[in-house]
Amino acid sequence: MELPKYQSVPGAQALTERLMSLTTAGQPAACPVYVGLGAPVTRSTNLALITYGIARHLVDGAAHLVPAFNTFPQPERRILDAASWDRVDATSSDFAAMPVDLASELWWLVDEACRDPDSLTAQERCVASDLMLRLGYPWRAGEILGLLDARIADHPVNPETARAEMAALVRLHPGAYPLLEEWALRAASDPAVPPETRVRLANYVVVANGKRGADVPALHRAVKLGRRAMTEVTLVGMDRHLTEHTFYRAIAYEPYLRGDIPKTMELLDRAAAALARAEPATGPLELLSWKDHAFPMYETRAKTLLGQGRIGEALKATSTLTAISPYDHRVWEAHAKALVAADDLIGAIRAWKQILPQGGLPVAPAAFYLGWAYRQLGDVGLAREYLTLSRAIDPTPPVLAEQMAGM
């Protein structure tokens, strides 16, 4: 049984259409974190909890206690959530323009803390820019780091803020990948940059090319730079193990692209072992850091195992994902895909239904696949109901018309 490929149409026009549909679809996002930094709720994702925790640490003067994180929310998450609440007035690119009835006290404390970037320590600037990227304000992140007038080609590498600058530059210049790659490689080869930062920058180049399926010289150079930096890392405990984990997970792309699956799995196993050694025994933000690194680990394992037809092992990996991040729609999408591969359509339906209470844009693909599944089972009424819901939220995917044809 093969799943149809659901994919939203890219581009500004399609995004506008999506936003307008969300305002009338009656599927409000359950989590209030991204729109105004409201307090998390039961169904807030780990990424939302991380975002809120970072904000809290920044305004409490504890930015130096923020651990390393590995993933970011979708760049448009705030405006998509705001649209789902029918609050287009909360989609402005100006942080200070958040409507007063949506902005929490924490929101204004963050705004105040970031008004004078020169008064912040390097660590505080890194944390503040990271927060702004998570909330969908790349220009504010760039302002905090002094990047708004930066020319990527000759922008100097600041050892203290290199990783934060890389994250901001990627968002500020989404169409400038060749220059960004060059800058990342330059920073990853600079001995003045801390080795753990060099590892992460090298990882960026490896993963960016790996995801594109590009087995290019830059990828191999980044692997070499990452290996060299890894030998110089002096971190201990959780910080060291998470750095090792990200490194092995990234360089697994090198054998994967040449079709060497045994070597790929060997490196992913080493990444998993490092992750297991890193499991924290300290506070909630450290646990969230561990989970944030674990998510792509098990997601990658599941995809790789499915590609090899090792369905039972893939199901085990996606089951682990559901325990790590039970309110993340990506978890249930991955689990449903593995269940479909196992010919368990009823189980997949249960998985997709876990997404519906989250509200917002993730309901669209979940409803689409529920419509597809019920059509496979011969229940045309439920199939039409879910496909109609999907179209009400996001009418742009061409595959929707194909599924609804003849219904």
PDB file of all heavy atoms in Angstrom, residues 38 111 131 167 227 236 240 330 377 396:
ATOM      1  N   GLY A  38       2.256  33.031  25.356  1.00  0.00           N
ATOM      2  CA  GLY A  38       1.348  32.565  26.391  1.00  0.00           C
ATOM      3  C   GLY A  38       1.915  31.334  27.072  1.00  0.00           C
ATOM      4  O   GLY A  38       2.748  30.623  26.505  1.00  0.00           O
ATOM      5  N   ASP A 111      10.838  41.858  24.908  1.00  0.00           N
ATOM      6  CA  ASP A 111      11.016  43.054  24.075  1.00  0.00           C
ATOM      7  C   ASP A 111      11.938  44.055  24.758  1.00  0.00           C
ATOM      8  O   ASP A 111      12.855  44.600  24.135  1.00  0.00           O
ATOM      9  CB  ASP A 111       9.644  43.675  23.806  1.00  0.00           C
ATOM     10  CG  ASP A 111       9.726  44.877  22.870  1.00  0.00           C
ATOM     11  OD1 ASP A 111      10.436  44.780  21.845  1.00  0.00           O
ATOM     12  OD2 ASP A 111       9.106  45.908  23.164  1.00  0.00           O
ATOM     13  N   LEU A 131      15.880  32.979  20.180  1.00  0.00           N
ATOM     14  CA  LEU A 131      14.468  33.134  20.542  1.00  0.00           C
ATOM     15  C   LEU A 131      13.696  33.850  19.432  1.00  0.00           C
ATOM     16  O   LEU A 131      12.576  33.449  19.073  1.00  0.00           O
ATOM     17  CB  LEU A 131      14.356  33.902  21.856  1.00  0.00           C
ATOM     18  CG  LEU A 131      12.935  34.215  22.339  1.00  0.00           C
ATOM     19  CD1 LEU A 131      12.148  32.936  22.584  1.00  0.00           C
ATOM     20  CD2 LEU A 131      12.985  35.068  23.616  1.00  0.00           C
ATOM     21  N   ALA A 167      22.809  30.594  12.136  1.00  0.00           N
ATOM     22  CA  ALA A 167      21.361  30.348  12.151  1.00  0.00           C
ATOM     23  C   ALA A 167      20.590  31.558  11.645  1.00  0.00           C
ATOM     24  O   ALA A 167      19.624  31.425  10.886  1.00  0.00           O
ATOM     25  CB  ALA A 167      20.919  29.984  13.572  1.00  0.00           C
ATOM     26  N   ARG A 227      35.399  16.047  11.839  1.00  0.00           N
ATOM     27  CA  ARG A 227      36.223  15.033  12.521  1.00  0.00           C
ATOM     28  C   ARG A 227      37.375  15.689  13.279  1.00  0.00           C
ATOM     29  O   ARG A 227      37.678  15.330  14.412  1.00  0.00           O
ATOM     30  CB  ARG A 227      36.762  14.033  11.501  1.00  0.00           C
ATOM     31  CG  ARG A 227      35.713  13.082  10.940  1.00  0.00           C
ATOM     32  CD  ARG A 227      36.380  12.017  10.072  1.00  0.00           C
ATOM     33  NE  ARG A 227      35.404  11.126   9.463  1.00  0.00           N
ATOM     34  CZ  ARG A 227      34.832  10.101  10.066  1.00  0.00           C
ATOM     35  NH1 ARG A 227      35.156   9.832  11.339  1.00  0.00           N
ATOM     36  NH2 ARG A 227      33.965   9.335   9.435  1.00  0.00           N
ATOM     37  N   VAL A 236      32.503  17.986  28.650  1.00  0.00           N
ATOM     38  CA  VAL A 236      32.305  16.729  29.380  1.00  0.00           C
ATOM     39  C   VAL A 236      30.806  16.508  29.587  1.00  0.00           C
ATOM     40  O   VAL A 236      29.995  17.406  29.411  1.00  0.00           O
ATOM     41  CB  VAL A 236      33.028  16.740  30.751  1.00  0.00           C
ATOM     42  CG1 VAL A 236      34.534  16.833  30.556  1.00  0.00           C
ATOM     43  CG2 VAL A 236      32.524  17.900  31.613  1.00  0.00           C
ATOM     44  N   ARG A 240      29.156  17.057  25.901  1.00  0.00           N
ATOM     45  CA  ARG A 240      30.048  16.324  24.994  1.00  0.00           C
ATOM     46  C   ARG A 240      29.280  15.248  24.221  1.00  0.00           C
ATOM     47  O   ARG A 240      29.439  15.112  23.007  1.00  0.00           O
ATOM     48  CB  ARG A 240      31.196  15.678  25.766  1.00  0.00           C
ATOM     49  CG  ARG A 240      32.122  14.895  24.838  1.00  0.00           C
ATOM     50  CD  ARG A 240      33.294  14.251  25.497  1.00  0.00           C
ATOM     51  NE  ARG A 240      34.119  13.623  24.467  1.00  0.00           N
ATOM     52  CZ  ARG A 240      35.050  14.247  23.754  1.00  0.00           C
ATOM     53  NH1 ARG A 240      35.279  15.534  23.959  1.00  0.00           N
ATOM     54  NH2 ARG A 240      35.740  13.601  22.835  1.00  0.00           N
ATOM     55  N   ARG A 330       4.614  15.806  13.659  1.00  0.00           N
ATOM     56  CA  ARG A 330       5.580  15.065  12.849  1.00  0.00           C
ATOM     57  C   ARG A 330       5.774  13.646  13.365  1.00  0.00           C
ATOM     58  O   ARG A 330       6.029  12.710  12.592  1.00  0.00           O
ATOM     59  CB  ARG A 330       6.914  15.815  12.821  1.00  0.00           C
ATOM     60  CG  ARG A 330       6.843  17.196  12.184  1.00  0.00           C
ATOM     61  CD  ARG A 330       8.122  17.967  12.420  1.00  0.00           C
ATOM     62  NE  ARG A 330       8.380  18.163  13.840  1.00  0.00           N
ATOM     63  CZ  ARG A 330       9.522  18.641  14.340  1.00  0.00           C
ATOM     64  NH1 ARG A 330      10.516  18.942  13.512  1.00  0.00           N
ATOM     65  NH2 ARG A 330       9.677  18.812  15.635  1.00  0.00           N
ATOM     66  N   LEU A 377     -10.750   2.075   2.793  1.00  0.00           N
ATOM     67  CA  LEU A 377     -11.618   1.160   3.535  1.00  0.00           C
ATOM     68  C   LEU A 377     -13.047   1.135   2.988  1.00  0.00           C
ATOM     69  O   LEU A 377     -13.893   0.403   3.499  1.00  0.00           O
ATOM     70  CB  LEU A 377     -11.638   1.544   5.012  1.00  0.00           C
ATOM     71  CG  LEU A 377     -10.303   1.397   5.756  1.00  0.00           C
ATOM     72  CD1 LEU A 377     -10.416   1.977   7.161  1.00  0.00           C
ATOM     73  CD2 LEU A 377      -9.873  -0.070   5.811  1.00  0.00           C
ATOM     74  N   THR A 396      -4.145  24.288  -1.332  1.00  0.00           N
ATOM     75  CA  THR A 396      -3.111  24.377  -2.369  1.00  0.00           C
ATOM     76  C   THR A 396      -2.555  23.046  -2.880  1.00  0.00           C
ATOM     77  O   THR A 396      -2.130  22.981  -4.033  1.00  0.00           O
ATOM     78  CB  THR A 396      -1.924  25.246  -1.886  1.00  0.00           C
ATOM     79  OG1 THR A 396      -1.240  24.578  -0.809  1.00  0.00           O
ATOM     80  CG2 THR A 396      -2.393  26.618  -1.427  1.00  0.00           C
TER      81      THR A 396
END
